C-alpha cells in the first residue's frame, strides 16, 4: 500500500473519529439543552453517551499496537484501574467510574485530535449558537433549569463565540496588511476602517450582552469565567504566551482550584456576610460544602469518599455535589487518581501552547480553555457531559487550518 493510500485512510479515520465526537455533542445537547423534561430523563445517560463517543474516536485515532508502546496510554489505564478498585472498596455507584474514564480518554486524545477547517467552523458555530439561544429563551428562570446550569451553557457558548470572532478578525487583520501594502499606512487604515468600522462595536455589544444575561441568570460562576476569558484576551499575547507566565496560569487554573477551596473555607469562617454579588452573599454555601468534604476526604485520602457518600448538610438532602471539578476528582476518587489526572491535564495544557502558530487566535483559544478551567472552580463543569466533550474540541481546533 502506497503512502498516498495510507494518508487517505488516516484522513478518513480522523474524519470518522471527529464524527463520533460531534454526534456525541449533538445527541447530548439535543437531549439536555432544549427541554427540562428531557434533561431530567436523559442526563443520567450522558456519561455513557460520552464514553461511546470517546471510545469510537479512540479507535479511529489510535492504533492499539502504538497505544501499547505509549506511556500515556498506560497512565490512563492505571488511573482507571485505581478508580475501579476504589469503587469496589467504597461500594460507590458504578456510574461514577465513567467520570474518570471519560476525562482520561479526553486527556489522552487531546494531543491527537485534529479538526479540519470546516469541522472547526462547524463546532464553533454550533456551540456559540447556544449563547444566543439561552439568552433569548431564558430557561434558567422559567423552564425548570437551575440558573447555575444555565450560566454554564451561556459562558460555554460565549467562549466559543469569542474564538469564532477572533478567527474572523484574523482574516480582517490580513486584509488590513494587504491594504497597507497597496495604499500605504494612512490610506490602508482608512480603507480597512471603512469596511470594518462595525467590528469593535460588535465586540463591545456582545461583551455587554454576556454580562447582562449572566447577571440576569445571577450566575456568579459564569461571571468568574467571563472575567478570566476577557482578562486573557486583553493581556498582550507576548505576556500570556510567555513560557513562565503561561505555566503559572495553567497550574493556578488546575491545582489552584483545590487550593482555592481551602482559602474559600478560611475566608468564609472569618466573614459575617454582607458583601453581595447578584443579590447573593459572595461567600455562601460552597464554604460549608467544601468544609464537610475536606473533613470526610482527610479520613480516606487514598481512596476518596466515593460517590455513595451522603452529605450531612441539611439543605443538601444527602446529595453529593462537590461544586468543583478538581475537588470532585480529589474527594470522590482519592489522591492517586487526582495526581495522575491533574498531572496529565497540566501536561496537555502545556503542550497546547507548543503546537500553535497562528497569532492571536492562539491566545483566544487559550483564553477559552482558562475560562473553562476557572469556571470549574465553582462547578463540576468540564468533567461532566456535554461540557467535557466540548472542552476536548478546544484542543482539536488548529488555528493555522481555520486561518487559511
Amino acid at each position: 500500500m502506497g503512502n498516498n493510500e495510507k494518508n487517505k485512510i488516516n484522513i478518513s479515520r480522523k474524519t470518522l473519529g471527529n464524527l463520533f465526537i460531534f454526534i456525541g455533542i449533538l445527541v447530548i445537547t439535543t437531549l439536555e439543552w432544549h427541554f427540562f423534561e428531557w434533561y431530567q430523563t436523559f442526563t443520567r445517560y450522558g456519561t455513557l453517551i460520552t464514553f461511546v463517543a470517546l471510545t469510537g474516536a479512540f479507535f479511529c485515532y489510535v492504533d492499539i499496537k502504538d497505544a501499547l508502546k505509549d506511556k500515556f496510554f498506560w497512565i490512563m489505564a492505571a488511573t482507571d484501574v485505581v478508580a475501579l478498585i476504589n469503587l469496589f472498596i467504597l461500594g460507590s455507584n458504578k456510574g461514577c467510574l465513567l467520570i474518570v474514564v471519560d476525562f482520561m480518554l479526553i486527556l489522552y486524545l487531546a494531543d491527537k485530535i485534529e479538526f479540519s477547517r470546516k469541522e472547526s467552523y462547524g463546532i464553533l458555530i454550533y456551540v456559540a449558537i447556544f449563547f444566543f439561544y439561552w439568552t433569548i429563551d431564558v430557561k434558567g428562570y422559567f423552564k425548570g433549569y437551575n440558573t447555575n446550569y444555565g450560566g454554564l451553557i451561556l459562558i460555554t457558548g460565549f467562549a466559543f463565540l469569542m474564538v469564532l470572532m477572533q478567527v474572523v478578525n484574523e482574516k480582517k487583520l490580513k486584509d488590513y496588511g494587504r491594504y497597507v501594502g497597496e495604499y500605504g499606512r494612512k490610506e490602508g487604515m482608512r480603507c480597512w476602517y471603512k469596511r470594518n468600522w462595525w467590528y469593535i462595536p460588535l465586540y463591545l455589544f456582545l461583551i455587554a450582552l454576556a454580562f447582562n444575561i449572566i447577571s440576569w441568570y445571577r450566575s456568579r460562576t459564569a461571571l468568574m469565567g467571563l472575567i478570566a476569558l476577557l482578562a486573557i484576551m486583553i493581556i498582550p499575547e507576548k505576556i500570556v504566551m510567555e513560557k513562565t507566565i503561561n505555566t503559572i496560569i495553567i497550574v493556578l487554573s488546575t491545582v489552584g482550584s483545590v487550593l482555592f477551596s481551602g482559602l474559600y473555607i478560611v475566608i468564609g469562617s472569618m466573614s459575617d456576610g454582607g458583601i453581595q454579588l447578584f443579590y447573593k452573599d459572595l461567600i455562601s454555601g460552597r464554604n460549608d460544602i467544601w468544609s464537610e468534604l475536606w473533613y470526610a476526604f482527610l479520613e480516606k485520602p487514598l481512596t476518596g469518599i466515593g460517590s455513595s457518600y451522603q452529605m450531612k448538610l441539611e439543605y443538601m438532602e444527602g446529595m453529593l455535589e462537590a461544586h468543583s471539578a478538581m475537588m470532585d476528582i480529589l474527594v470522590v476518587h482519592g489522591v492517586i487518581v487526582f495526581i495522575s489526572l491533574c498531572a496529565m491535564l497540566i501536561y496537555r495544557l502545556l503542550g497546547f501552547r507548543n503546537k500553535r502558530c497562528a497569532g492571536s487566535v492562539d491566545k483566544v483559544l487559550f483564553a477559552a480553555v482558562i475560562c473553562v478551567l476557572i469556571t470549574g472552580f465553582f462547578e463540576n463543569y468540564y468533567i461532566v457531559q456535554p461540557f467535557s466533550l466540548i472542552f476536548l474540541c478546544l484542543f482539536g481546533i488548529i488555528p493555522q487550518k481555520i486561518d487559511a
Side-chain angles (χ1 to χ4, degrees), residues 43-298:
T43 189
R44 69 191 70 178
Y45 306 112
T47 51
L48 180 59
I49 296 171
T50 300
F51 175 72
V52 171
L54 290 169
T55 301
F58 173 85
F59 284 109
C60 290
Y61 266 94
V62 180
D63 289 321
I64 297 300
K65 61 181 181 180
D66 293 331
L68 294 176
K69 301 174 184 177
D70 186 354
K71 62 182 178 181
F72 291 106
F73 173 81
W74 290 109
I75 291 173
M76 176 181 71
T79 304
D80 293 342
V81 168
V82 172
L84 179 63
I85 292 171
N86 291 346
L87 180 148
F88 282 107
I89 291 174
L90 298 169
S92 292
N93 299 321
K94 305 303 181 286
C96 81
L97 176 66
L98 285 178
I99 297 291
V100 174
V101 171
D102 286 352
F103 202 69
M104 289 303 292
L105 271 171
I106 284 169
L107 296 178
Y108 184 72
L109 291 171
D111 73 332
K112 299 172 180 59
I113 190 167
E114 187 174 299
F115 297 152
S116 68
R117 183 172 180 269
K118 289 182 178 179
E119 289 169 342
S120 296
Y121 272 109
I123 191 63
L124 286 172
I125 292 170
Y126 179 73
V127 177
I129 284 173
F130 283 99
F131 169 71
F132 297 104
Y133 176 25
W134 278 62
T135 296
I136 295 170
D137 188 0
V138 189
K139 298 175 182 292
Y141 277 102
F142 310 117
K143 301 193 175 180
Y145 289 94
N146 181 283
T147 52
N148 284 332
Y149 188 77
L152 296 181
I153 295 173
L154 288 168
I155 194 60
T156 303
F158 185 73
F160 273 65
L161 177 61
M162 289 294 99
V163 175
L164 181 62
M165 288 283 287
Q166 191 58 41
V167 171
V168 174
N169 185 45
E170 197 73 14
K171 292 182 177 295
K172 294 184 180 301
L173 291 175
K174 285 189 174 182
D175 289 340
Y176 170 70
R178 180 168 56 83
Y179 289 144
V180 170
E182 290 180 9
Y183 305 113
R185 188 171 186 84
K186 185 175 181 180
E187 183 63 19
M189 184 180 293
R190 191 188 70 81
C191 291
W192 183 88
Y193 183 77
K194 185 176 180 180
R195 289 190 60 184
N196 301 292
W197 61 269
W198 51 270
Y199 197 73
I200 293 177
L202 177 59
Y203 247 126
L204 295 175
F205 168 76
L206 290 173
I207 291 170
L209 179 63
F211 176 79
N212 185 61
I213 190 60
I214 285 172
S215 62
W216 196 359
Y217 273 77
R218 304 203 310 182
S219 177
R220 296 169 297 176
T221 299
L223 178 63
M224 295 301 103
L226 179 64
I227 292 171
L229 176 69
L230 297 179
I232 300 294
M233 289 176 61
I234 291 170
I235 297 172
E237 180 185 348
K238 288 183 179 180
I239 296 176
V240 171
M241 303 308 282
E242 194 276 328
K243 187 174 182 180
T244 302
I245 295 175
N246 190 261
T247 301
I248 291 172
I249 292 172
I250 288 170
V251 172
L252 290 178
S253 300
T254 50
V255 179
S257 174
V258 173
L259 301 177
F260 174 80
S261 68
L263 177 63
Y264 197 88
I265 292 168
V266 172
I267 295 174
S269 66
M270 298 169 58
S271 173
D272 296 326
I275 302 176
Q276 292 193 330
L277 181 64
F278 297 157
Y279 312 106
K280 304 174 186 175
D281 286 340
L282 191 59
I283 304 294
S284 63
R286 283 173 177 76
N287 56 318
D288 294 328
I289 294 170
W290 290 340
S291 180
E292 178 181 335
L293 290 178
W294 268 115
Y295 279 114
F297 165 74
L298 291 174

